[in-house]
Amino acid sequence: WSGEITPKADIWSCGVMTYELLSCQIPVEIRCTSQEDAMRFWAIAPPINYRVLSPTSQNAVEACQEMLRKDRQARPSAADILWRPFLQQASSAGEGTTPDAVAIRQILECLVKLPERGLLYMSVSLEVARR
């Protein structure tokens, strides 16, 4: 990480939020209190356990993996993510038993367990789940 914040940082943040919503866990433990801490984190970039996402669709897992790539240039754009089948099919998944429908229910269950989250976080999470 060079210290520069770009729109690709927002993609990373969306990936973190998506991972957290699908697994009720954070992808990595980050304790950055300074720019030097952030530089050290990005230098080693601990591995992310994607196995905890196994109940969700492969497309959802791939979307998380793409958003959480260490190389920001390799991350997709926001438009690319919004067109992923995971999000496009979520609105039609309804109450079925497809992996995406299960993921939507998991997201909603996680939201109920996270009352300490801010209103913006909850609003965005509900919108993602709704779609």
Side-chain angles (χ1 to χ4, degrees):
W1 183 61
S2 64
E4 179 185 0
I5 297 178
T6 69
K8 295 292 185 162
D10 293 335
I11 298 299
W12 169 267
S13 298
C14 287
V16 169
M17 189 171 82
T18 302
Y19 183 99
E20 190 173 350
L21 289 170
L22 293 174
S23 68
C24 293
Q25 299 176 28
I26 57 174
V28 290
E29 190 68 36
I30 303 173
R31 290 194 176 96
C32 297
T33 58
S34 67
Q35 186 169 352
E36 291 79 24
D37 289 341
M39 300 284 274
R40 277 191 294 278
F41 168 80
W42 284 107
I44 59 167
I48 297 172
N49 179 10
Y50 291 103
R51 289 184 300 249
V52 298
L53 302 178
S54 63
T56 62
S57 71
Q58 184 60 33
N59 190 269
V61 174
E62 290 170 1
C64 267
Q65 289 172 328
E66 291 174 14
M67 289 187 282
L68 294 174
R69 287 182 178 148
K70 181 179 176 181
D71 178 8
R72 68 177 174 198
Q73 299 304 325
R75 293 180 204 144
S77 68
D80 291 338
I81 290 298
L82 290 174
W83 284 105
R84 292 299 299 246
F86 166 64
L87 292 176
Q88 291 295 308
Q89 295 168 357
S91 62
S92 63
E95 297 183 13
T97 58
T98 66
D100 287 335
V102 172
I104 290 168
R105 284 195 296 280
Q106 287 176 329
I107 288 170
L108 295 175
E109 289 169 8
C110 285
L111 290 175
V112 171
K113 296 175 188 175
L114 300 172
E116 72 278 5
R117 297 292 181 191
L119 181 59
L120 177 61
Y121 181 92
M122 298 290 279
S123 298
V124 169
S125 302
L126 287 171
E127 182 64 20
V128 168
R130 185 182 67 74
R131 290 180 183 222

